[in-house]
Amino acid sequence: MITSRLDWFLDSNNLLTSSQAGFRKCQSTNQQVVFLGQSIKDALDQRHSALTLFVDFEAAFDKVWRLKCIQKLQTLGVCNNMLMWIRNLISQRFSAGRFGNAISSFKQSETGLPQGTVISPILFNIFINDLSDLLTSDGLTNTALFADDLAIWCSIPKRDQSKLNTILNLTLERLHLWCIENNMTVNLKKTTCQFFTLNRQPFSPQLVYNALETINTRFPPEEWLHIYTDGSLLDFAQGAGIGVFSHLFSFYLHAGSLKTHFDASRVARDKPWSTLCKKSHGIPSSPRATAVAKFRLLTGHA
């Protein structure tokens, strides 16, 4: 009952950031993946370059600062009996260690949300709710959250792509300050970045967290791969091609030696049409000419 009332209060007053899709009704990871993928594709269509950062928080639920969470509940307007009930729930948590038949004395824990309770995901969303607005305060960066999974990206014209490092490094500074104020830790071993561009000029992302740790350029986590044209390596570089198959006809065009999914996606879009135009001696000018050109392409009649 408390969870339902709290959820209703947050949704009806539009208190949670639109960047958060985790543990929310009618929202899922697919929504964030599509949002990120479409943003990158739009950037490429505009001849921009984009730099994306995938951030992993270390033991996010276990490190939630409970007092800070209560303060954020109050800031959102949660008060009186509901606030007291939630405070008692997350504060009165005791644990003990067991080794064989020996059990240690119970100690009260000061951080972390109760595991397995239905209200903990909502409380985590409240705890991390102010992060997105802080990171995007420069008006240049975008964020997507699914619970504690965070993606940050920025796009800029290709001629100015060197500025991407400056923009995201400033964003990383804001992220670091938020982590200090909220007792959170970024897991740099699982935090990666990825560069997207149509520009042939070389560019090396140089992102530094806390002025000490360099974030390496690697492929995004497995759950992001193969969803959009991310430049990840093809499993079978020599076997790339484009096929059309139906109960009426089928044909296959070999795309040549491709190295990345982005290249394969581009060829899959461009090569069938270019082949069609070549077979029909130019771009078809009418629906009938298009149909004839398609027939020539499929049957092999030039």
Side-chain angles (χ1 to χ4, degrees):
M1 182 177 65
I2 297 295
T3 302
S4 299
R5 289 184 177 181
L6 180 59
D7 198 20
W8 172 84
F9 175 76
L10 296 173
D11 287 341
S12 60
N13 292 282
N14 196 28
L15 295 176
L16 293 181
T17 174
S18 59
S19 298
Q20 177 65 270
F23 311 115
R24 303 184 68 182
K25 294 180 180 179
C26 303
Q27 297 193 43
S28 67
T29 53
N30 293 336
Q31 177 179 339
Q32 301 297 59
V33 168
V34 169
F35 176 43
L36 173 58
Q38 189 60 49
S39 297
I40 293 172
K41 290 179 180 179
D42 290 343
L44 296 179
D45 288 341
Q46 297 170 9
R47 296 298 187 265
H48 285 195
S49 297
L51 185 58
T52 305
L53 182 66
F54 299 89
V55 179
D56 180 79
F57 290 102
E58 185 176 298
F61 273 70
D62 294 333
K63 288 191 174 183
V64 169
W65 186 6
R66 294 171 184 169
L67 179 59
K68 193 74 170 181
C69 186
I70 294 298
Q71 292 175 351
K72 293 185 178 184
L73 280 166
Q74 290 178 304
T75 301
L76 293 178
V78 179
C79 56
N80 300 330
N81 292 338
M82 179 176 288
L83 181 65
M84 293 177 60
W85 187 91
I86 295 174
R87 181 172 57 190
N88 291 334
L89 172 69
I90 66 177
S91 299
Q92 302 299 321
R93 313 302 298 183
F94 294 84
S95 59
R98 179 173 181 174
F99 182 78
N101 294 326
I103 301 178
S104 69
S105 59
F106 282 84
K107 299 291 184 180
Q108 186 173 7
S109 59
E110 298 180 356
T111 61
L113 294 173
Q115 296 290 332
T117 61
V118 293
I119 199 173
S120 290
I122 299 178
L123 294 179
F124 184 83
N125 281 352
I126 293 172
F127 182 76
I128 203 173
N129 190 53
D130 57 342
L131 176 59
S132 181
D133 288 341
L134 175 65
L135 297 180
T136 59
S137 59
D138 60 355
L140 299 173
T141 54
N142 297 282
T143 61
L145 274 164
F146 189 84
D148 60 332
D149 294 324
L150 171 63
I152 309 170
W153 68 95
C154 174
S155 64
I156 204 167
K158 291 188 297 183
R159 64 180 181 274
D160 300 323
Q161 66 184 22
S162 60
K163 297 180 181 179
L164 288 172
N165 284 326
T166 302
I167 295 172
L168 280 191
N169 275 320
L170 291 174
T171 304
L172 283 172
E173 290 182 9
R174 296 194 292 273
L175 174 63
H176 178 59
L177 291 175
W178 183 90
C179 288
I180 292 176
E181 294 175 356
N182 293 271
N183 195 38
M184 297 293 283
T185 304
V186 172
N187 186 348
L188 294 175
K189 293 182 179 180
K190 294 183 179 180
T191 297
T192 64
C193 65
Q194 181 69 40
F195 179 57
F196 305 86
T197 188
L198 298 176
N199 195 356
R200 295 183 179 181
Q201 295 181 359
F203 174 79
S204 177
Q206 297 176 354
L207 302 181
V208 180
Y209 181 77
N210 192 19
L212 296 173
E213 300 288 345
T214 301
I215 297 175
N216 295 322
T217 304
R218 294 180 295 185
F219 298 129
E222 193 66 30
E223 58 267 22
W224 292 100
L225 289 178
H226 315 309
I227 301 299
Y228 51 86
T229 53
D230 59 3
S232 56
L233 294 178
L234 284 170
D235 294 331
F236 303 100
Q238 300 298 328
I242 303 96
V244 176
F245 306 95
S246 75
H247 67 284
L248 296 177
F249 61 83
S250 65
F251 76 98
Y252 180 84
L253 295 174
H254 181 60
S257 177
L258 301 175
K259 294 183 178 180
T260 69
H261 282 284
F262 177 79
D263 292 335
S265 175
R266 176 177 53 80
V267 173
R269 182 184 69 246
D270 297 339
K271 187 165 185 175
W273 180 249
S274 62
T275 304
L276 177 64
C277 294
K278 182 178 180 181
K279 290 284 187 178
S280 59
H281 306 290
I283 299 176
S285 58
S286 67
R288 184 177 183 279
T290 301
V292 172
K294 287 183 179 178
F295 175 78
R296 289 176 176 174
L297 172 63
L298 298 175
T299 58
H301 296 290

